[in-house]
Amino acid sequence: MTQPVRTAPTLAEVAAAAGVSRSTASRALNDSPRISEETKKRVRAAAKEVNFVPNARGRALAVGRTEIIAVLVTEPLSELFSDPTYSEFLSGITEELSESSYLPVILQASSTHERNRAREHFERRSFDAVIDVSPYKGSELLEVLRELGVPTVLCGQLEGHPYRDVFSTVYSDDEEGGHFAALAMKDRGRKDIVAVLGPQDNPAVVDRLRGYRAVLGEDLPDANVIYTGWNSGDGYQAMHQILAREIAFDGVLCGSDRIAAGVITALNEAGLSVPADVSVVGFDDHEIAARCVPALTTVRQPLREEGHMAANIALDMIKGAEPTTTVMHMQLVQRDSL
Amino acid sequence: MTQPVRTAPTLAEVAAAAGVSRSTASRALNDSPRISEETKKRVRAAAKEVNFVPNARGRALAVGRTEIIAVLVTEPLSELFSDPTYSEFLSGITEELSESSYLPVILQASSTHERNRAREHFERRSFDAVIDVSPYKGSELLEVLRELGVPTVLCGQLEGHPYRDVFSTVYSDDEEGGHFAALAMKDRGRKDIVAVLGPQDNPAVVDRLRGYRAVLGEDLPDANVIYTGWNSGDGYQAMHQILAREIAFDGVLCGSDRIAAGVITALNEAGLSVPADVSVVGFDDHEIAARCVPALTTVRQPLREEGHMAANIALDMIKGAEPTTTVMHMQLVQRDSL
DNA sequence: GTTAACGGTGCAACCGGTTGTACAATCGCA
DNA sequence: TGCGATTGTACAACCGGTTGCACCGTTAAC
């Protein structure tokens, strides 16, 4: 039943069918005010008749846009998939772009090979804009984007904001998140706090700690701050270290919900009850937070909304808008671990 | 330090710099045999000089290709991310395409809105080919692709293969996988088998069951076949149902590793030992399989390789190759649950 | 009755490449 | 010396749209 492949109808055919010129047909379909209703109607009918859809390649060349936005990702695909943060964030971007005619492309940049490919695509002007999901890692590519003048949105802060005047930035206020978590501890009357954070070189970690400190002061001594990875295993191990020190503490601030899950496991194994003996607060509000026993009090980052925002800013920049900096707000999610 | 945005150099500028015509410049850069070595050298030098990279839009229009391949996905992004099957498979596609100049685009088609957007992109000829990752769900779109004559690769079998003469197909031999799992049970001397499978309408499930049956015959009675979801919770629940029936059984064939994990948990809770009392065989060989206690014997599907294959076939079809059907082979991974 | 204003349309150029074909220059050979 | 074959290059058309500008026919104003 192989049907003969129709070769796609072009604007010229529509124009011929409607008895007008190509330019008039184009204007009619793009709803230009210079064309009479009468003619528009005729052209639209002709277009419907021959099943006309404007060719993406021709359009792209003429208007100087590909209507494609690259989402630059530094993590390898497997990590990308295992980290729910990205899923949420990418969904936000995709959702928002699906309202426009733009198409998001996930562009990986973990290996050198991939970065070179990415660079090549940038130079070819394959994309109208770039959304960089983990900008603190890909500085060479950022340099390229700057030179090429590609509208770019950075998700997350860059230390020192070297590109603030060229790129837009969207990030959650991590310091504020730290505030919220610390205030919750304080309100609960906790006075001897331990923090199990992510990697020390992560800007979000630095800001959150600053937030903790602003509220807790000496209740969170330097010695009680541990930097580690983001996973439950890391939290578990860190908690063991702390228990081994035999210091007194009644609260643990965690850099992620997964860390918190590991911390709770370690505490329970040591015979400590959460929240009776020790309060625990997480970060992120991923699925795992609600499933913890006890359910985890945590700080929610509006990831999906950040995705929406990033996509919109990218679209605006394509239209010529100036770079902007947008700060999203954190939120404390009260559950049972505090 | 905002650097003035260079407007990208065009072929015309290269030609001027090299003192040749645009056509000669184009041929020189594309290494046409009709151009003298001497001239090629000069043009290449000029191109390097002005930092020329051919513009993707212009090229696309001229050669009639966008160099973009759509990966059509029926699942919502969150599911896509939570299912390691896709991660592996998509990695395969991405890896392979990164060797070419082609760019993969993940195109979601779970909601009606998304399917309409997808259709529009197809009609605009935004993609040179489509790889459909879950073809049994998106038949309307397949119809569109067929009419438009877009080179398409289906991953997974379609019942009745209605598009066999138009589309290429890549799939793993699920019946063979069923064979392997069932043979393992048989070799171990298991005689009363239960199967906890995925959804009944999934063609892979149907084929695997056929494979089981061919080996086990009456050792796997109809009443012992349970259809459910793919997750551990589903496996757990299904096993409870079976235990409640108080029938005798000594082996469980599972539709996924996650199902198997749930099954093992339920068995253990009921005081049954794996593999002493009951043998369990999974499917997929995901990360979870090795982490099960006991480590799960399972059937491995070569997902990454399937991704490579699908990408290559897509590239071939773009070059005009006829549709092909490719069957990948399953493999039994022996561990401790049998 | 002439002319200015204006709404509607078409011509042609343009976006940035690729490619069929014509043409000029060089060479070999009769 | 004259011819055809061969090589290297340029001209121009083309891919499929968009858009600046000129032009046409009305109508309104003077």
Side-chain angles (χ1 to χ4, degrees):
Chain A
M1 214 41 64
T2 313
Q3 191 163 316
V5 175
R6 293 200 311 256
T7 144
T10 76
L11 188 58
E13 295 171 39
V14 177
V20 297
S21 70
R22 252 180 346 138
S23 50
T24 300
S26 171
R27 290 197 175 94
L29 294 176
N30 291 326
D31 205 27
S32 157
R34 287 174 22 185
I35 303 294
S36 69
E37 265 317 313
E38 164 56 24
T39 306
K40 282 184 190 174
K41 221 169 275 175
R42 201 148 36 88
V43 173
R44 288 198 195 113
K48 190 130 299 177
E49 183 61 32
V50 301
N51 230 311
F52 172 77
V53 178
N55 179 296
R57 297 186 303 266
R59 213 188 122 76
L61 182 56
V63 302
R65 285 182 271 111
T66 57
E67 307 217 315
I68 296 177
I69 291 180
V71 179
L72 189 63
V73 175
T74 311
E75 324 297 329
L77 207 55
S78 58
E79 264 185 59
L80 183 70
F81 273 61
S82 66
D83 187 342
T85 305
Y86 284 109
S87 162
E88 187 85 356
F89 187 72
L90 292 179
S91 295
I93 295 176
T94 307
E95 271 175 20
E96 197 65 26
L97 288 186
S98 85
E99 299 304 315
S100 72
S101 61
Y102 274 78
L103 204 59
V105 172
I106 295 176
L107 199 63
Q108 283 167 261
S110 42
S111 69
T112 306
H113 176 64
E114 287 170 347
R115 272 192 289 273
N116 286 338
R117 303 273 308 126
R119 183 198 184 114
E120 211 175 302
H121 282 295
F122 294 155
E123 290 174 331
R124 288 178 190 279
R125 313 276 167 164
S126 296
F127 315 115
D128 295 345
V130 175
I131 299 176
D132 189 343
V133 171
S134 42
Y136 42 92
K137 288 188 179 174
S139 49
E140 341 122 42
L141 283 178
L142 290 186
E143 191 55 39
V144 172
L145 290 169
R146 190 176 66 77
E147 279 182 25
L148 294 173
V150 177
T152 299
V153 181
L154 308 181
C155 300
Q157 289 182 80
L158 239 56
E159 287 152 280
H161 300 277
Y163 297 107
R164 175 179 265 167
D165 50 347
V166 218
F167 296 157
S168 287
T169 305
V170 177
Y171 67 96
S172 298
D173 189 338
D174 284 290
E175 185 168 347
E176 180 186 51
H179 269 270
F180 288 158
L183 274 176
M185 283 287 180
K186 192 171 184 168
D187 290 350
R188 178 73 161 74
R190 300 306 191 179
K191 294 249 180 255
D192 299 296
I193 311 295
V194 169
V196 182
L197 307 177
Q200 184 159 17
D201 61 354
N202 186 302
V205 166
V206 175
D207 289 351
R208 290 173 190 179
L209 180 57
R210 191 171 334 117
Y212 295 156
R213 276 273 156 68
V215 173
L216 296 171
E218 277 315 299
D219 292 351
L220 174 60
D222 272 355
N224 284 11
V225 175
I226 296 194
Y227 299 99
T228 176
W230 297 109
N231 291 316
S232 64
D234 302 312
Y236 181 85
Q237 198 177 341
M239 200 65 247
H240 265 281
Q241 281 176 243
I242 289 172
L243 289 166
R245 289 200 216 153
E246 304 197 343
I247 58 174
F249 68 93
D250 54 10
V252 184
L253 294 166
C254 302
S256 76
D257 293 340
R258 287 181 290 168
I259 289 176
V263 163
I264 290 176
T265 305
L267 286 171
N268 287 342
E269 284 180 14
L272 291 167
S273 159
V274 177
D277 301 320
V278 179
S279 292
V280 176
V281 175
F283 221 107
D284 292 340
D285 193 29
H286 287 161
E287 210 189 327
I288 189 179
R291 286 207 320 256
C292 277
V293 182
L296 193 63
T297 293
T298 189
V299 177
R300 180 174 183 277
Q301 199 177 148
L303 288 164
R304 185 173 296 263
E305 294 81 351
E306 263 182 78
H308 291 174
M309 189 61 77
N312 274 326
I313 294 177
L315 293 175
D316 287 344
M317 288 182 81
I318 291 171
K319 291 190 209 123
E322 289 298 307
T324 58
T325 298
T326 308
V327 183
M328 310 291 290
H329 293 288
M330 300 282 193
Q331 194 184 349
L332 185 74
V333 179
Q334 297 268 12
R335 292 206 184 86
D336 311 324
S337 66
L338 183 80
Chain B
M1 213 43 59
T2 312
Q3 191 164 316
V5 175
R6 291 201 312 256
T7 145
T10 75
L11 189 57
E13 296 172 38
V14 176
V20 296
S21 72
R22 262 191 325 153
S23 51
T24 300
S26 172
R27 291 198 173 93
L29 293 176
N30 291 325
D31 206 27
S32 157
R34 287 176 19 187
I35 304 294
S36 68
E37 265 317 312
E38 164 58 23
T39 306
K40 282 183 189 171
K41 221 168 278 175
R42 203 147 36 88
V43 173
R44 287 195 196 115
K48 189 130 301 175
E49 183 63 31
V50 301
N51 232 312
F52 172 76
V53 178
N55 179 296
R57 299 186 301 267
R59 215 187 120 78
L61 181 55
V63 303
R65 285 181 271 113
T66 57
E67 308 217 314
I68 296 177
I69 291 180
V71 179
L72 189 64
V73 175
T74 310
E75 324 296 330
L77 208 54
S78 58
E79 263 185 60
L80 183 69
F81 272 61
S82 67
D83 187 343
T85 305
Y86 283 109
S87 162
E88 187 84 357
F89 187 73
L90 292 179
S91 294
I93 294 176
T94 307
E95 269 175 21
E96 197 65 26
L97 288 185
S98 85
E99 299 304 316
S100 73
S101 60
Y102 274 79
L103 204 59
V105 172
I106 296 176
L107 197 64
Q108 284 168 260
S110 41
S111 68
T112 306
H113 175 63
E114 286 170 346
R115 273 193 289 274
N116 287 338
R117 303 273 307 125
R119 181 197 185 117
E120 211 175 301
H121 282 295
F122 294 154
E123 290 174 331
R124 287 179 191 279
R125 313 275 167 165
S126 296
F127 316 115
D128 296 344
V130 174
I131 298 176
D132 189 344
V133 171
S134 42
Y136 41 93
K137 289 188 179 174
S139 49
E140 342 123 41
L141 283 179
L142 290 185
E143 191 55 40
V144 172
L145 289 169
R146 189 177 68 75
E147 279 183 24
L148 294 173
V150 177
T152 300
V153 181
L154 308 181
C155 300
Q157 289 182 81
L158 240 56
E159 287 151 281
H161 300 276
Y163 297 107
R164 176 178 264 167
D165 50 348
V166 219
F167 296 156
S168 287
T169 305
V170 178
Y171 66 96
S172 297
D173 190 338
D174 283 290
E175 184 166 350
E176 181 186 50
H179 269 270
F180 287 158
L183 274 175
M185 283 288 180
K186 190 171 188 171
D187 290 352
R188 178 71 162 75
R190 300 306 191 178
K191 295 248 180 260
D192 299 297
I193 312 295
V194 168
V196 182
L197 307 177
Q200 184 159 16
D201 60 354
N202 186 303
V205 166
V206 175
D207 289 352
R208 290 173 190 180
L209 180 57
R210 191 171 333 117
Y212 295 156
R213 277 271 155 66
V215 173
L216 296 171
E218 277 314 300
D219 291 351
L220 174 60
D222 270 355
N224 285 10
V225 175
I226 296 194
Y227 299 99
T228 176
W230 298 108
N231 291 317
S232 63
D234 301 313
Y236 181 86
Q237 197 177 342
M239 199 67 247
H240 265 281
Q241 281 177 243
I242 290 172
L243 289 165
R245 289 199 218 151
E246 305 198 344
I247 58 174
F249 68 94
D250 54 9
V252 184
L253 293 166
C254 303
S256 77
D257 292 340
R258 287 181 290 167
I259 289 176
V263 163
I264 290 176
T265 303
L267 287 171
N268 287 340
E269 284 181 14
L272 290 166
S273 160
V274 177
D277 301 320
V278 179
S279 292
V280 175
V281 174
F283 221 108
D284 291 339
D285 193 29
H286 286 159
E287 211 189 327
I288 190 179
R291 286 208 319 256
C292 278
V293 182
L296 193 63
T297 292
T298 188
V299 177
R300 178 174 183 279
Q301 197 177 150
L303 287 165
R304 185 172 296 263
E305 294 81 350
E306 262 183 79
H308 291 174
M309 189 60 78
N312 274 325
I313 293 176
L315 292 176
D316 288 344
M317 288 181 82
I318 290 171
K319 292 191 207 121
E322 289 299 307
T324 58
T325 298
T326 308
V327 183
M328 310 291 290
H329 293 288
M330 300 281 194
Q331 194 185 347
L332 186 74
V333 179
Q334 297 268 11
R335 291 205 184 88
D336 311 323
S337 65
L338 184 81

